[in-house]
């Protein structure tokens, strides 16, 4: 898909993807790694520091 369309989504974290295999990989990240990075606003936890950083943009714009 070259139009920027992201038809595959994961409702748990609201992320969207251009290809299903990337979605499948992402879904596994929610279950296979320990979640040691926590958002102190919502209490959401993440397995990667970068994921928490992206999430924090919700709070900071």
């Amino acid at each position: 898909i070259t139009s920027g369309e992201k038809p595959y989504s994961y409702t748990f974290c609201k992320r969207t993807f251009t290809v299903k295999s990337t979605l499948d990989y992402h879904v596994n990240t929610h279950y296979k790694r320990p979640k040691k990075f926590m958002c102190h606003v919502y209490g959401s936890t993440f397995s990667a520091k970068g994921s928490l950083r992206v999430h924090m943009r919700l709070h900071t714009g």
Side-chain angles (χ1 to χ4, degrees), residues 1 5 11-13 16 18 22 26 29 31 38-40 42 44 54 56 58-59:
I1 299 173
E5 183 180 343
T11 56
F12 180 77
C13 67
T16 58
T18 56
T22 306
H26 176 76
T29 67
Y31 299 103
M38 186 174 82
C39 167
H40 295 288
Y42 287 143
S44 303
V54 169
M56 292 306 289
L58 293 172
H59 307 300

Side-chain angles (χ1 to χ4, degrees), residues 9-13 23-36 45-48 51:
S9 63
Y10 186 43
T11 56
F12 180 77
C13 67
L23 167 63
D24 294 339
Y25 176 82
H26 176 76
V27 169
N28 284 329
T29 67
H30 283 273
Y31 299 103
K32 297 196 180 215
R33 293 192 289 174
K35 296 179 179 182
K36 56 185 176 182
T45 55
F46 302 88
S47 57
S51 299

